[in-house]
Amino acid sequence: MNHAEEPILLLAHAERHKLRRAIDAISIEYEPLPSVHSMEESERRSTIIWGTDNTFKSYLVEKGDADAVWKDAAHIVEGEYFTGAQEQLYIENNGVIATFDPENGVTVWGSLQCPYYVHKALMALCGLSEDKVRVVQMETGGAFGGKEEYPSMIAGHAALLAIKSGRPVKIIYDRMEDMAATTKRHPSRTRHRTAVSKDGKILGGEIEFAIDGGAYTTLSSVVLSRGTIHAGGPYYWPSVRIRTKALATNTPPHGAFRGFGAPQSLFAMERHMDRIAQVVGISPVEIRRRNFLKPGQTTTTQQVIREEINLNHLLDRALELSDYAAKKTRFAEENKDGTRKKGIGIAAFLHGAGFTGSGERYLNSLVGVEAGADGNVRVLVSSAEFGQGTNTVLCQIAAEALGLPYENVSIAQPDTTVVPNSGPTVASRTAMIVGKLLQSAAKGIKETLTKTGFLGNDFTPEQFRAACREYIAAHETLKSYARYEAPGDVYWDDEKYRGEAYAAFAWAVYVAEVTVDLPTYAVTVDDFVALQEVGKVLHPVLAEGQITGGVAQAIGFALYEKVVWQDGRMINNQMTNYIMPTSVDVPPIRVFFEELGNVHGAHGAKGIGELAMDGPAPAIVNAVEDAIGVRFHSIPLLPEDLFEALRPAPLEQDAPSLTRGTA
Amino acid sequence: MTPSPGTNAKCEVSFTVNGEAKKLLAHPMERLLDVLRNDLKLTGAKEGCGEGECGSCSVLLDGMLVNSCLVPVAQVSGASIDTIEGISAHALMHPLQEAFLECGSAQCGICTPGMILAAVHLLEKKPEPALAEIREGLAGNLCRCTGYIQIFDAVAGAARRVAK
């Protein structure tokens, strides 16, 4: 066993309560082996639990000569930053039902994000061929990445029990099981050492980013990749060396959670920018202004920014919308008295949409559209709806591509016997990548009907219906598929980690306003401005909902949600003592969009789902520092941490370090 | 989290659900949530946490908003229960549904039945609630998707519709 929540034995019974007695009747004898419960222990390598060096994956990004920057630096700014594990806390726990019969094989219905991931896992686990495994995604009560890989585990367990028993098997985790055993956001540590010119320009530097992968590889290499590529933020680095690694520990594996490594390394970058500003003696606004990426410049992976993004304009607008300058002055004045200190903080960031580097090429997604004799059109994709608006937006894209009313388009339930593999529902890729393919597939239907003479170039829905009816009478079915083709000009080198990391970036500037209540050490977020450029906004209401929801989750990440570990187990695995934001904890979240076109996405859309998770935590902690002048480098930042940092230093002892709070 | 009913004898329990009289055999400590979902096939109440934190299993018990995962069925003997399934004829439902749709107040939807019941409960007591009262009235119902903002908008919008 490599972690405490690892399955050993599967038990099923027709009457659930009898299982308790069965469990009580079993005793398992363990022989304890040395274990590793922190990244620091893991990298010390005194106990090896994975490979030869406890490292699942490491990356090295090099741009320019990072060793040559120090001699010209007016300032060298160092910092170390930490983020904690975070539970996705979808309100519906993981759950599946599996059946087996020798003729049809295994069927699984479940709460999940990626039907074809589960399909692939079950084929391997059960030794069944493609056509003997069927996976159906049911209405899914939230996911946020937490149902990307774990459903393959629980589906596997249910399938094995169904094969063994010959009966349908249902497994639904209760909340305590789900929180203890399933994947969470990777804890992280980032170290920055930055060479800065006298006037506050970044000359170059070194970034070390490490994440705790838990006991098995799972998605850690991919999470690490995204964290690596986002580590330099939306800034121009003439030269930089970024070293990153995913370390093994004996905790349940960490996994996908909205943002996928980027919220971790961007927290560090955006806290570090405020630190650089202090050292240089300029404002947090000015330091960003002087270092923003501009069109034509290159990112840390040397991707040329081809979009006409103007981050200074984005920043100006965010400052205006949040009334930043006036508040900054007012708070400084008001904070001289009283015990409720107010502060305001900003974060600027970017989020790459779709899979990293060559990822989309490997996925090789296929998207289908089917028209019926009644002229109604059905979208065939494995992209799953779990609250983000997938179904609405994809139907909208197909309707627009075909020139049909929205009501004439529906979407098939993701069922591997019905829909092709259009890839997983992750990485902010659905609207942009799948949507674009869907546009092509939908146009294919139209072309089939026009080329065969059943339909003219301009048509009414009635004419479309008649054409479908006639075509299907002659040819039985009317389907069109589109497969992903990598844009020809995209260059990515997996070895050197260099090139075009993403087809598009979304860009954002967020502003958080907080109050620190000194008697209780509580931090509340009073106002939040979220301004972003996500390409064309396909559905304003749903897009806004993605942002408000992401901001609320990120407020939890920053201020409330602390996973308490003991010997590699989460011991506060209940909603009673793992605290997510409630309706009284969220500020007004004011959402604004800028719209630039994006050639890679449907109707110019980019990814949106994860972006909002990246910026709030650093903006909030920057605002806390603005309010009370104490530098915190670790989240979650709980009242206990403020208490520790603000209480008078005990006599005859070293003052408590402020760098990590009490984490 | 389900308490084990063990071998104790079941008792007869009578209560009203959505206006209909029900009589069934159940272990007295069985959770009302399980009786509703398993015996009465009313699956609108959802289990999110099993410990009264998330509100997804909310029902109205004699007009009070309660977490059905914390109510032993013996305690509802003689009581009147309204679930999301039965509330559809309520005068507030149409405005609430419209407002939820318009504002995008349901994303994954798992919290929505409980949220709607909490909103009905709130608007019955306070037909024109201030934002702070809406926040307070929904504080027992967790939503992980929306950040609540769209839900506040919908409840305020529904109140305005009804007031017209």
Side-chain angles (χ1 to χ4, degrees), chain A residues 81-83 188-190 192 207 209 226-235 237 259-274 288 346-352 502 505-508 557 610-619 622 635:
Chain A
Y81 307 89
F82 300 85
T83 64
S188 79
R189 180 196 66 207
T190 311
H192 274 271
I207 306 173
F209 176 60
R226 189 169 280 269
T228 302
I229 296 168
H230 287 74
Y235 305 109
W237 294 77
F260 211 75
Q264 289 96 315
S265 62
L266 282 167
F267 171 75
M269 184 72 248
E270 282 305 278
R271 281 295 292 137
H272 194 60
M273 285 308 274
D274 270 30
R288 288 171 172 83
I346 54 179
F349 53 102
L350 74 177
H351 198 95
Y502 300 102
F505 286 99
W507 309 88
F557 182 47
E610 296 171 287
L611 176 76
M613 191 73 221
D614 295 344
N622 288 344
I635 52 168

Side-chain angles (χ1 to χ4, degrees), chain A residues 644-658:
Chain A
E644 285 294 335
L646 293 173
R647 70 176 175 171
L651 293 173
E652 292 170 49
Q653 276 179 27
D654 289 336
S657 163
L658 299 185

Side-chain angles (χ1 to χ4, degrees), chain A residues 574-639:
Chain A
Q574 287 173 268
M575 284 184 171
T576 307
N577 45 17
Y578 179 89
I579 306 301
M580 64 162 268
T582 72
S583 57
V584 293
D585 301 318
V586 292
I589 301 170
R590 301 189 280 136
V591 179
F592 305 92
F593 294 103
E594 290 273 319
E595 291 184 304
L596 284 180
N598 163 36
V599 288
H600 296 289
H603 300 291
K606 299 181 196 171
I608 184 172
E610 296 171 287
L611 176 76
M613 191 73 221
D614 295 344
I620 288 166
V621 181
N622 288 344
V624 170
E625 183 174 356
D626 184 51
I628 58 173
V630 180
R631 282 206 300 277
F632 291 98
H633 292 171
S634 185
I635 52 168
L637 179 60
L638 303 185

Side-chain angles (χ1 to χ4, degrees), chain A residues 16 87-89 91 141-142 144 174-175 386-387 545-546 548-549 552-553 561 574-576 580-583 586-587, chain B residues 1-2 5 48-49 51 53-54 56 102-104 107-108 110 135 138-139 142-150 152:
Chain A
R16 189 183 171 192
E87 165 59 33
Q88 291 87 359
L89 219 72
I91 305 293
F144 315 112
D174 69 29
R175 180 58 63 184
F386 37 90
Q546 284 300 294
T548 55
Q553 283 181 350
E561 299 180 32
Q574 287 173 268
M575 284 184 171
T576 307
M580 64 162 268
T582 72
S583 57
V586 292
Chain B
M1 300 296 290
T2 319
C49 67
E51 54 174 345
E53 289 289 337
C54 76
S56 305
E102 197 173 285
C103 300
Q107 285 188 26
C108 84
I110 189 90
R135 286 171 174 270
L138 303 179
L142 297 179
C143 170
R144 190 58 155 171
C145 294
T146 61
Y148 304 100
I149 306 297
Q150 289 87 347
F152 303 154

Side-chain angles (χ1 to χ4, degrees), chain A residues 5 19 24 29 37 101 137 142 179 198 205 208 260 270 284 327 344 386 404 467 513 546 569 617 630 660:
Chain A
E5 310 295 345
L19 276 172
D24 290 344
E29 286 175 24
H37 296 304
D101 70 75
Q137 187 243 356
M179 290 180 83
K198 198 165 163 253
E208 282 177 32
F260 211 75
E270 282 305 278
K327 279 181 179 168
I344 190 161
F386 37 90
L404 292 174
E513 181 188 327
Q546 284 300 294
R569 303 187 84 152
V630 180
R660 285 199 59 180

